[in-house]
Amino acid sequence: MIEVVISAAVLASMYGLVAIGISFTWASIGMLNLAQGFIFTAGGYAAWVFAEFAISAGISGPLLSVGVLTFGMLGSAVAGLAVGSIAFLPLQDRDNFRTRSLIATLAISLIGTQVWLIFFGPQNKPLPPVFGEGRIEFGNAGISYGQLGTIIVASVMLGLVILWMRSSRRGLQMRAMMMNPLGAAVVGVSVRTTGMRVLAISGALTGLSSVLLAQIFFVSPTSGVQPLTVGLIISLAGGLGSIPGTVIAAGLVGLAEAVTARYLQQSLVPFVLFGIVVLILIFRPRGLGGLLEDVRE
Amino acid sequence: MSKSTPLVGRRSWRPKWPVNTDRVFKRRRYFGTKRSVLKLQGQFNPKTLRRELVLTDKKPLFWIAALTILLVLPLGVGNQRFLSLFGIICIYAAINVMWTLIIGTAGLQSFATLATVGVGAYGSAYLSITYGLPWPLMLVAGAGFGALMGWIISLPARRLDGLYYALLTLGLSEFMRNFVTQSDALGGKFNGALFGVAQIVPSDLLTTRAGQSLLYLTAFIALLVILIVFRWVNGGRIGLMLKTAATSKEDESFASAIGVDFQKARTHVFIIASAALGFMGAFYATYIGGTSLQIFSLELLLLMLAMIVIGGLGKAEGALIGTVIVVGITQWFTDWGPWRVVLVGVLALLSVLYTRNGIFGLKAQIQEIRERRQALHRAAITGRYAEYLPQQAPDIHDKSLIVGRVFERTLRDRLKSWIDPDIIKEHELKPMGQHSDHLERMLNYFRKAPIPDKYAVYCVEPFASYRVVALSGLPGVPPRIVDDKTYPSLEEAYHAVFLRRVNDLRAS
């Protein structure tokens, strides 16, 4: 039972980060960033390149872990900026921006996968364990360092971002954009600069989740697809643009996946997830916390 | 086509042929419908003095040409690689046309296309392998699976709008892939590959050229069937109903206000399209004799999206041409490796960034750019046509009016450039008699001014008092006095008139 809860929390924290990135981007600049899978792999590969370099240079221990996490986040943030400069900046003031940017981000993710394939090959790349190896046993259950670290790092990072959003001038600008983009522009918030900042931050969150997920799976050109789809589902169920809603939805989806995989069948997981999201959306079409969209309109 | 033909300028070529007026013209219609085969318009040709028929919609001609090329080219070349390339083009084009029906006609931004195709393919392949279903029943079963899938995923479509639905359905393929990988019955052990499905062309024929041609022919017929379904739905009553609710929220309110249940119509179109997609899935399974997980991959979905984006979203011809381009690149240049997909992605990106609606939106876009340029150009050259705007020119019957005005204008401009204190001084010293060339020309111009409002000298008292008047130009109406100045001599009065005329010339 406890193990189910733990694995649910791990899944929730990893997918939740991706979902919050998607949700953030949508709420502030009105762009559905479906290149999030590409951004995800970018972080993974950046971390892998750093790890290769660091291990050959003889760096190990906490320095390696911090470096891997930082480079993962940096790589994804840069990828986020790249996506923004292709799909957001040129299209931002054109008509039909939403559909066109959606297609543009999809095209980027199509190109991105192939670019990784060209540069890194189709092999899976393992990342070094960031949190060390070992388990804490209590009673008849236990939690590995990796799981514990994932939960802690994800929550701390998310908390930091939320704190920064609440208390800083830049965060205020972003919140203003999320509430009313036109109003924010009128009072002097630069839509373009803030939009790029949002993309970088959601990229960094995605990169973090990429490094965390690479603790379990590997980095490969297509490793971004699964997190992207689950992230989409979560951000949809949570209501695009609402952080509390997204966190709750991430918990719910993680729990559903863990419970289904444990007590039913692994093959049923997709259907259970889909069913849950459809149920949520049928009763609340804007998701759990998505009253925002009504306000925007 | 609804635009009226301009009197001058570019006219689009339209096929026309003479009519035999002795016979009664009989309109041909598509079988079972009231739709005419070709949109014809009768008109009188002033040159030949005969009646003639004009084809107002050239699209059917292009369709016939394109489909003929698609049929004849691969069969004529007969190369096996060529045949299989075009077979895949036909299949993907059929899927894209149905996707276009969902996105364009139903207005649902659904990414569940390949998921539906995959359900049709896996479902029918499973039935064929397990129960030995022959291929015609497989196609029926595939359509059934597709319709079922369409019905299920159309349920949330009523509640969700636009992009939310796109997000929900984007994950569907990935979910299906996971399901197949985990399921034993669907070949999860062999990485989702199912083989040994009943095939249309007997397998011993497949190695021969005739067999390959036959196989290609079946794919072409499948594409034709799908195109007919597209035409039937999109051009039919249901498509018309959905056009009222096509683009925006206001349109939807308008549609429901005039009694169009667009939600229901959308669901119907979605289910029809899904059934057709399931049919294509089953066809694909019989075509290659099995299915594989590739059908659920995100990459294939994105490639399909690139096809319809490059061709033009929401148009069947766009789906067709986009498929030819993208499949041509990805299947023909196989030695380019991943770069060919990068090329496709870049093409899709370019068409999103720079075109409004892919290749088939390009014509309208170029037209608009050209019209804007022409407007700027016209504004720049207005001078050439004097007071007339160049677009008025075709409507003025007597072209000498335009020429006359242009001449007047250039003359005025030249005279204006001659006005200077010297010439005025010259006139003041000697109003009558021989003058310099410039002054003489100026005076000539003044003299041929029209009578209404022409200045004249009025003698109040001979050799003592003169005034300047303006003629009325009408018989019986006396001239009006221009100002209260009187001039003691005729010469001074002449000069006063001259000064007024020079002023008027300056002001013109």
Side-chain angles (χ1 to χ4, degrees), chain B residues 390-440:
Chain B
Q391 49 275 51
Q392 282 177 303
D395 301 330
I396 298 169
H397 189 67
D398 185 1
K399 304 295 187 221
S400 68
L401 280 177
I402 302 174
V403 178
R405 284 220 191 180
V406 173
F407 172 74
E408 293 264 314
R409 193 192 161 112
T410 34
L411 180 62
R412 267 206 307 277
D413 285 346
R414 194 182 313 140
L415 293 181
K416 254 192 235 176
S417 67
W418 291 343
I419 299 173
D420 56 4
D422 288 348
I423 214 164
I424 291 171
K425 190 81 190 161
E426 189 193 342
H427 188 270
E428 192 182 356
L429 291 176
K430 198 171 126 192
M432 314 271 274
Q434 199 171 8
H435 296 117
S436 67
D437 183 50
H438 283 186
L439 184 57
E440 202 58 52

Side-chain angles (χ1 to χ4, degrees), chain B residues 62-90:
Chain B
F62 290 126
W63 270 110
I64 289 168
L67 289 177
T68 314
I69 291 174
L70 205 56
L71 178 65
V72 172
L73 185 67
L75 291 182
V77 174
N79 178 347
Q80 186 183 334
R81 193 169 164 220
F82 216 63
L83 278 170
S84 68
L85 168 75
F86 273 85
I88 292 172
I89 285 179
C90 284

Side-chain angles (χ1 to χ4, degrees), chain B residues 75 78 83 201-202 205-217:
Chain B
L75 291 182
L83 278 170
V201 181
L205 256 180
L206 271 179
T207 45
T208 64
R209 181 177 163 174
Q212 286 289 330
S213 304
L214 195 62
L215 194 65
Y216 172 70
L217 215 57

Side-chain angles (χ1 to χ4, degrees), chain B residues 6-67:
Chain B
L7 283 168
V8 290
R10 291 157 44 81
R11 291 186 208 201
S12 55
W13 174 79
R14 294 193 296 180
K16 47 184 86 163
W17 53 88
V19 198
N20 186 357
T21 38
D22 300 337
R23 276 189 296 144
V24 178
F25 172 63
K26 189 167 179 302
R27 190 180 293 275
R28 289 192 182 80
R29 300 178 193 279
Y30 282 111
F31 175 74
T33 66
K34 290 184 177 169
R35 200 173 299 281
S36 40
V37 174
L38 292 173
K39 265 191 198 159
L40 295 171
Q41 195 186 11
Q43 68 177 34
F44 175 70
N45 188 335
K47 269 189 189 161
T48 59
L49 305 181
R50 297 285 301 274
R51 277 200 76 74
E52 62 188 10
L53 275 178
V54 182
L55 186 67
T56 50
D57 190 0
K58 283 184 291 185
K59 257 189 195 171
L61 296 188
F62 290 126
W63 270 110
I64 289 168
L67 289 177

Side-chain angles (χ1 to χ4, degrees), chain A residues 91-127:
Chain A
L91 289 174
Q92 178 246 337
D93 45 2
R94 307 257 207 100
D95 50 333
N96 220 348
F97 164 64
R98 287 188 179 178
T99 319
R100 288 169 86 174
S101 63
L102 177 92
I103 295 169
T105 52
L106 281 175
I108 291 171
S109 70
L110 181 67
I111 298 171
T113 313
Q114 303 302 320
V115 168
W116 299 138
L117 206 59
I118 291 166
F119 285 112
F120 296 101
Q123 306 90 348
N124 290 336
K125 309 280 185 200
L127 283 188

Side-chain angles (χ1 to χ4, degrees), chain B residues 35 59 63 93-106 222-240 243 269 272-273 276 308 312-320:
Chain B
R35 200 173 299 281
K59 257 189 195 171
W63 270 110
I95 295 172
N96 281 331
V97 165
M98 280 300 113
W99 196 359
T100 297
L101 191 65
I102 293 174
I103 294 182
T105 310
L223 174 63
L224 272 190
V225 169
I226 293 294
L227 281 174
I228 289 168
V229 170
F230 180 84
R231 181 89 176 91
W232 171 61
V233 174
N234 187 47
R237 183 179 158 73
I238 199 166
L240 198 63
K243 275 196 190 88
V269 171
I272 292 169
I308 58 174
L313 216 62
K315 288 180 174 172
E317 59 266 39
L320 191 65

Side-chain angles (χ1 to χ4, degrees), chain B residues 142-338:
Chain B
F145 279 120
L148 187 69
M149 176 82 177
W151 178 71
I152 292 171
I153 54 182
S154 72
L155 288 180
R158 282 183 175 240
R159 297 278 296 178
L160 291 173
D161 53 41
L163 295 176
Y164 284 76
Y165 192 65
L167 286 193
L168 188 67
T169 48
L170 187 68
L172 222 55
S173 283
E174 181 70 9
F175 285 166
M176 285 299 170
R177 201 176 66 81
N178 276 353
F179 176 72
V180 171
T181 327
Q182 313 275 348
S183 144
D184 287 342
L186 295 178
K189 281 178 199 149
F190 312 107
N191 207 8
L194 279 184
F195 280 98
V197 175
Q199 280 184 283
I200 299 179
V201 181
S203 50
D204 49 330
L205 256 180
L206 271 179
T207 45
T208 64
R209 181 177 163 174
Q212 286 289 330
S213 304
L214 195 62
L215 194 65
Y216 172 70
L217 215 57
T218 59
F220 183 77
I221 290 169
L223 174 63
L224 272 190
V225 169
I226 293 294
L227 281 174
I228 289 168
V229 170
F230 180 84
R231 181 89 176 91
W232 171 61
V233 174
N234 187 47
R237 183 179 158 73
I238 199 166
L240 198 63
M241 274 159 74
L242 283 169
K243 275 196 190 88
T244 53
T247 46
S248 63
K249 277 260 179 287
E250 290 88 62
D251 284 356
E252 288 181 3
S253 318
F254 175 72
S256 40
I258 58 169
V260 171
D261 190 352
F262 64 90
Q263 293 280 26
K264 202 168 146 194
R266 257 179 205 172
T267 317
H268 284 172
V269 171
F270 192 80
I271 292 174
I272 292 169
S274 297
L277 286 171
F279 166 83
M280 280 316 294
F283 178 80
Y284 185 63
T286 65
Y287 183 82
I288 63 169
T291 59
S292 74
L293 267 185
Q294 204 221 344
I295 211 164
F296 290 129
S297 72
L298 185 67
E299 188 189 319
L300 187 60
L301 185 67
L302 294 184
L303 276 179
M304 298 285 232
L305 183 75
M307 294 175 201
I308 58 174
V309 165
I310 289 173
L313 216 62
K315 288 180 174 172
E317 59 266 39
L320 191 65
I321 202 90
T323 312
V324 171
I325 292 172
V326 173
V327 177
I329 291 174
T330 52
Q331 304 280 328
W332 193 255
F333 302 104
T334 35
D335 46 338
W336 292 4

